[in-house]
Amino acid sequence: MAKEIWKPGNMLYPLPVVMVSMADKDGKYNIITIAWAGTVCTDPPMVSISVRPERYSYSILRESGEFVINLTTRKLAYATDYCGVKSGRDVDKFRELGLTPAEASKVRAPMIGESPVNLECRVSEVLDLGSHSMFLAEVVAVHAEEQYMDAQHKFHLEKAEPIVYSHGAYLLCGEQIGTFGYSVRRKPERKTK
């Protein structure tokens, strides 16, 4: 197979696309769309988001040290894009999009009520890396929409139709093709007569 060599760049796609909600020192809410977000650690549970210093949300995050990661879905695709291209300096995104600011249990930042999963986060460290700063944060609470729980209390995020981001496009997550460990799981032996 022939491949082209490109200059170094971030080609790790697709990425989770999330809406990060926050509150400034005066209690004014804002939402920023982030595609550079990820899991960092299990114990303690930690995540990261990366934000450019020139973004309106940057100083709020630095000052407050708290935010909520809100997972996005097909129904939230328009709002996800809007919150990534409109600045909180100019518009109240909750009001403009008809989103519900729900009270979080551990942080002052609001959750987005329409999101199926909300992760309340407290910043533990900020790493200034160049074009972006990475906010490392501990997850202090998780809220999951009950309508996506089955009778065995297993959560089915796929029913909410989560979206991802790839090269400027929002995509629905695809069909399940396996489960963790399926490649090494013992196959049931066939009975012979």
Side-chain angles (χ1 to χ4, degrees):
M1 247 187 246
K3 294 186 180 179
E4 292 183 15
I5 297 176
W6 294 354
K7 68 177 184 167
N10 297 326
M11 290 296 294
L12 187 60
Y13 287 106
L15 298 163
V17 59
V18 298
M19 292 192 291
V20 175
S21 49
M22 64 204 72
D24 69 13
K25 65 180 181 214
D26 299 320
K28 180 183 173 191
Y29 297 157
N30 189 44
I31 306 168
I32 184 175
T33 297
I34 302 280
W36 291 6
T39 299
V40 176
C41 187
T42 305
D43 187 16
M46 296 188 75
V47 292
S48 71
I49 60 171
S50 293
V51 182
R52 288 181 179 272
E54 58 269 17
R55 297 292 299 262
Y56 174 69
S57 298
Y58 179 85
S59 60
I60 298 171
L61 292 166
R62 275 270 196 194
E63 187 176 271
S64 71
E66 299 179 335
F67 58 87
V68 176
I69 292 178
N70 304 275
L71 299 192
T72 57
T73 63
R74 178 195 287 264
K75 288 181 182 175
L76 289 170
Y78 180 87
T80 301
D81 185 64
Y82 186 92
C83 290
V85 296
K86 290 288 190 175
S87 175
R89 284 184 187 96
D90 308 319
V91 65
D92 178 339
K93 297 175 192 179
F94 276 101
R95 192 185 74 228
E96 285 296 312
L97 295 165
L99 296 173
T100 307
E103 187 176 345
S105 63
K106 305 275 186 190
V107 299
R108 285 184 12 150
M111 302 184 301
I112 297 174
E114 292 75 12
S115 173
V117 177
N118 317 91
L119 287 76
E120 296 184 47
C121 304
R122 282 204 184 103
V123 176
S124 58
E125 187 175 353
V126 181
L127 301 172
D128 298 318
L129 301 172
S131 64
H132 290 70
S133 292
M134 179 188 294
F135 292 80
L136 292 172
E138 184 171 348
V139 178
V140 295
V142 176
H143 303 258
E145 186 67 43
E146 290 178 356
Q147 70 175 319
Y148 301 114
M149 300 282 189
D150 66 18
Q152 290 73 41
H153 207 66
K154 181 178 177 187
F155 188 68
H156 293 275
L157 181 60
E158 72 279 4
K159 291 183 179 179
E161 298 184 292
I163 60 175
V164 294
Y165 179 82
S166 183
H167 299 283
Y170 303 102
L171 307 168
L172 282 172
C173 291
E175 67 183 84
Q176 180 176 318
I177 59 169
T179 59
F180 180 76
Y182 85 101
S183 64
V184 295
R185 196 169 294 125
R186 187 173 188 177
K187 311 284 190 277
E189 294 183 28
R190 293 185 183 188
K191 293 183 181 180
T192 56
K193 291 184 179 183

